[in-house]
Amino acid sequence: MTGNGDEPFITAVKPLVDAMGGEMLPPDEAGPEDVVLAWQGVDVVAVRLPQLADSLDHILAAMERREGRPLADLDRKAKQEVVRVLEARGAFAVRHGVETVASALGVSRFTVYNYLNREKGA
């Protein structure tokens, strides 16, 4: 997948691809939905983007890693902040997004809706 001095480019984009739950593959293996990235005029790497539902799971897992504990163990204020961040990232536009987030936070869907409504009223 690398050659012609493109390793710095791949090294640079890998954290972004990992953060969004994508997969890097050789450009000649790219499908119609993949994004091919070029470096100095040459196709270097293709990025396979995750399905939205998989992306939400990936975001939740990354948030848990950052917190160093399960999201369900956070206090109410921290859970409200998680919901605020997820809303800003579009998590609730995903089918079953509220249910997925509620499960990760160890709260009911009703509680997640309350957190969302509190944000809108604030």
Side-chain angles (χ1 to χ4, degrees), residues 14-23 48-66 71 86 89 91 94 100-101 104:
K14 186 173 182 345
L16 176 62
V17 173
D18 290 346
M20 64 185 189
E23 176 186 355
R48 181 155 297 152
L49 301 172
Q51 297 296 313
L52 286 176
D54 295 338
S55 186
L56 178 54
D57 290 338
H58 192 80
I59 291 166
L60 289 166
M63 293 179 99
E64 280 196 346
R65 283 192 303 277
R66 193 169 28 245
L71 297 177
L86 291 172
R89 294 186 70 179
V94 176
T100 301
V101 171

Side-chain angles (χ1 to χ4, degrees), residues 29-117:
E29 293 180 20
E33 300 299 316
D34 297 331
V35 179
V36 177
L37 303 177
W39 175 250
Q40 298 179 342
V42 177
D43 291 346
V44 175
V45 64
V47 177
R48 181 155 297 152
L49 301 172
Q51 297 296 313
L52 286 176
D54 295 338
S55 186
L56 178 54
D57 290 338
H58 192 80
I59 291 166
L60 289 166
M63 293 179 99
E64 280 196 346
R65 283 192 303 277
R66 193 169 28 245
E67 292 293 331
R69 58 186 165 152
L71 297 177
D73 292 348
L74 300 175
D75 64 24
R76 184 173 56 87
K77 184 173 180 168
K79 288 179 182 181
Q80 289 171 336
E81 177 63 14
V82 166
V83 168
R84 186 194 66 72
V85 169
L86 291 172
E87 182 180 29
R89 294 186 70 179
F92 302 110
V94 176
R95 184 177 175 158
H96 304 298
V98 171
E99 292 86 346
T100 301
V101 171
S103 177
L105 293 176
V107 300
S108 69
R109 289 181 314 145
F110 181 76
T111 298
V112 172
Y113 284 119
N114 278 340
Y115 291 169
L116 288 167
N117 288 335

